[in-house]
PDB file of all heavy atoms in Angstrom:
ATOM      1  N   GLU A  38      13.554   6.230 -11.134  1.00 96.00           N
ATOM      2  CA  GLU A  38      12.664   6.134 -12.414  1.00 96.00           C
ATOM      3  C   GLU A  38      11.143   6.542 -12.017  1.00 96.00           C
ATOM      4  O   GLU A  38      10.492   7.285 -12.756  1.00 96.00           O
ATOM      5  CB  GLU A  38      12.558   4.672 -12.944  1.00 96.00           C
ATOM      6  CG  GLU A  38      13.862   4.221 -13.506  1.00 96.00           C
ATOM      7  CD  GLU A  38      14.816   3.699 -12.468  1.00 96.00           C
ATOM      8  OE1 GLU A  38      14.515   3.585 -11.307  1.00 96.00           O
ATOM      9  OE2 GLU A  38      16.098   3.519 -13.010  1.00 96.00           O
ATOM     10  N   ASP A  39      10.726   6.208 -10.840  1.00 95.00           N
ATOM     11  CA  ASP A  39       9.365   6.727 -10.400  1.00 95.00           C
ATOM     12  C   ASP A  39       9.357   8.138 -10.207  1.00 95.00           C
ATOM     13  O   ASP A  39       8.443   8.821 -10.425  1.00 95.00           O
ATOM     14  CB  ASP A  39       8.971   5.918  -9.111  1.00 95.00           C
ATOM     15  CG  ASP A  39       8.512   4.458  -9.448  1.00 95.00           C
ATOM     16  OD1 ASP A  39       8.319   4.182 -10.683  1.00 95.00           O
ATOM     17  OD2 ASP A  39       8.355   3.637  -8.499  1.00 95.00           O
ATOM     18  N   LYS A  40      10.410   8.672  -9.470  1.00 96.00           N
ATOM     19  CA  LYS A  40      10.519  10.077  -9.339  1.00 96.00           C
ATOM     20  C   LYS A  40      10.363  10.915 -10.630  1.00 96.00           C
ATOM     21  O   LYS A  40       9.578  11.747 -10.719  1.00 96.00           O
ATOM     22  CB  LYS A  40      11.850  10.499  -8.714  1.00 96.00           C
ATOM     23  CG  LYS A  40      11.882   9.991  -7.243  1.00 96.00           C
ATOM     24  CD  LYS A  40      13.209  10.319  -6.639  1.00 96.00           C
ATOM     25  CE  LYS A  40      13.435   9.701  -5.315  1.00 96.00           C
ATOM     26  NZ  LYS A  40      14.833   9.935  -4.729  1.00 96.00           N
ATOM     27  N   LEU A  41      11.153  10.399 -11.603  1.00 97.00           N
ATOM     28  CA  LEU A  41      11.023  11.029 -12.915  1.00 97.00           C
ATOM     29  C   LEU A  41       9.661  10.956 -13.495  1.00 97.00           C
ATOM     30  O   LEU A  41       9.091  11.962 -14.090  1.00 97.00           O
ATOM     31  CB  LEU A  41      12.105  10.566 -13.801  1.00 97.00           C
ATOM     32  CG  LEU A  41      12.017  11.135 -15.271  1.00 97.00           C
ATOM     33  CD1 LEU A  41      12.305  12.631 -15.312  1.00 97.00           C
ATOM     34  CD2 LEU A  41      13.179  10.395 -16.154  1.00 97.00           C
ATOM     35  N   MET A  42       9.188   9.730 -13.494  1.00 97.00           N
ATOM     36  CA  MET A  42       7.747   9.468 -14.019  1.00 97.00           C
ATOM     37  C   MET A  42       6.789  10.375 -13.445  1.00 97.00           C
ATOM     38  O   MET A  42       6.000  10.969 -14.184  1.00 97.00           O
ATOM     39  CB  MET A  42       7.446   7.968 -13.874  1.00 97.00           C
ATOM     40  CG  MET A  42       6.107   7.642 -14.429  1.00 97.00           C
ATOM     41  SD  MET A  42       5.603   5.976 -14.073  1.00 97.00           S
ATOM     42  CE  MET A  42       5.460   5.926 -12.300  1.00 97.00           C
ATOM     43  N   TYR A  43       6.664  10.372 -12.145  1.00 96.00           N
ATOM     44  CA  TYR A  43       5.677  11.302 -11.454  1.00 96.00           C
ATOM     45  C   TYR A  43       5.910  12.755 -11.653  1.00 96.00           C
ATOM     46  O   TYR A  43       4.887  13.482 -11.835  1.00 96.00           O
ATOM     47  CB  TYR A  43       5.671  10.947  -9.948  1.00 96.00           C
ATOM     48  CG  TYR A  43       4.986   9.574  -9.653  1.00 96.00           C
ATOM     49  CD1 TYR A  43       5.766   8.632  -8.903  1.00 96.00           C
ATOM     50  CD2 TYR A  43       3.768   9.180 -10.198  1.00 96.00           C
ATOM     51  CE1 TYR A  43       5.186   7.390  -8.645  1.00 96.00           C
ATOM     52  CE2 TYR A  43       3.256   7.944  -9.892  1.00 96.00           C
ATOM     53  CZ  TYR A  43       3.848   7.072  -9.140  1.00 96.00           C
ATOM     54  OH  TYR A  43       3.414   5.837  -8.902  1.00 96.00           O
ATOM     55  N   PHE A  44       7.133  13.133 -11.826  1.00 98.00           N
ATOM     56  CA  PHE A  44       7.383  14.584 -12.150  1.00 98.00           C
ATOM     57  C   PHE A  44       6.788  14.859 -13.499  1.00 98.00           C
ATOM     58  O   PHE A  44       6.100  15.895 -13.655  1.00 98.00           O
ATOM     59  CB  PHE A  44       8.897  14.784 -12.136  1.00 98.00           C
ATOM     60  CG  PHE A  44       9.230  16.236 -12.350  1.00 98.00           C
ATOM     61  CD1 PHE A  44       9.180  17.150 -11.307  1.00 98.00           C
ATOM     62  CD2 PHE A  44       9.672  16.637 -13.576  1.00 98.00           C
ATOM     63  CE1 PHE A  44       9.514  18.549 -11.600  1.00 98.00           C
ATOM     64  CE2 PHE A  44      10.031  18.023 -13.903  1.00 98.00           C
ATOM     65  CZ  PHE A  44       9.960  18.936 -12.882  1.00 98.00           C
ATOM     66  N   MET A  45       7.127  14.040 -14.334  1.00 98.00           N
ATOM     67  CA  MET A  45       6.691  14.371 -15.803  1.00 98.00           C
ATOM     68  C   MET A  45       5.130  14.315 -15.922  1.00 98.00           C
ATOM     69  O   MET A  45       4.468  15.050 -16.550  1.00 98.00           O
ATOM     70  CB  MET A  45       7.236  13.280 -16.866  1.00 98.00           C
ATOM     71  CG  MET A  45       8.746  13.383 -16.884  1.00 98.00           C
ATOM     72  SD  MET A  45       9.293  14.832 -17.640  1.00 98.00           S
ATOM     73  CE  MET A  45       8.962  14.550 -19.434  1.00 98.00           C
ATOM     74  N   ILE A  46       4.552  13.254 -15.270  1.00 97.00           N
ATOM     75  CA  ILE A  46       3.056  13.057 -15.338  1.00 97.00           C
ATOM     76  C   ILE A  46       2.369  14.350 -14.691  1.00 97.00           C
ATOM     77  O   ILE A  46       1.319  14.845 -15.285  1.00 97.00           O
ATOM     78  CB  ILE A  46       2.615  11.787 -14.486  1.00 97.00           C
ATOM     79  CG1 ILE A  46       3.006  10.592 -15.261  1.00 97.00           C
ATOM     80  CG2 ILE A  46       1.126  11.927 -14.126  1.00 97.00           C
ATOM     81  CD1 ILE A  46       2.831   9.348 -14.483  1.00 97.00           C
ATOM     82  N   GLY A  47       2.927  14.907 -13.693  1.00 97.00           N
ATOM     83  CA  GLY A  47       2.274  16.049 -13.130  1.00 97.00           C
ATOM     84  C   GLY A  47       2.405  17.398 -13.963  1.00 97.00           C
ATOM     85  O   GLY A  47       1.615  18.326 -13.501  1.00 97.00           O
ATOM     86  N   LEU A  48       3.247  17.472 -14.731  1.00 97.00           N
ATOM     87  CA  LEU A  48       3.451  18.730 -15.552  1.00 97.00           C
ATOM     88  C   LEU A  48       2.176  18.882 -16.499  1.00 97.00           C
ATOM     89  O   LEU A  48       1.659  18.033 -16.974  1.00 97.00           O
ATOM     90  CB  LEU A  48       4.707  18.648 -16.383  1.00 97.00           C
ATOM     91  CG  LEU A  48       6.016  18.821 -15.771  1.00 97.00           C
ATOM     92  CD1 LEU A  48       7.217  18.400 -16.623  1.00 97.00           C
ATOM     93  CD2 LEU A  48       6.229  20.276 -15.194  1.00 97.00           C
ATOM     94  N   GLN A  49       1.966  20.186 -16.835  1.00 97.00           N
ATOM     95  CA  GLN A  49       0.984  20.503 -17.919  1.00 97.00           C
ATOM     96  C   GLN A  49       1.529  19.983 -19.238  1.00 97.00           C
ATOM     97  O   GLN A  49       2.760  19.884 -19.365  1.00 97.00           O
ATOM     98  CB  GLN A  49       0.720  22.020 -17.866  1.00 97.00           C
ATOM     99  CG  GLN A  49       0.020  22.568 -16.671  1.00 97.00           C
ATOM    100  CD  GLN A  49      -0.259  23.978 -16.643  1.00 97.00           C
ATOM    101  OE1 GLN A  49       0.063  24.674 -17.685  1.00 97.00           O
ATOM    102  NE2 GLN A  49      -0.886  24.568 -15.591  1.00 97.00           N
TER     103      GLN A  49
END
Side-chain angles (χ1 to χ4, degrees):
E38 292 83 11
D39 283 348
K40 291 175 186 177
L41 176 60
M42 178 186 66
Y43 289 126
F44 182 82
M45 296 292 286
I46 287 171
L48 286 168
Q49 291 179 3

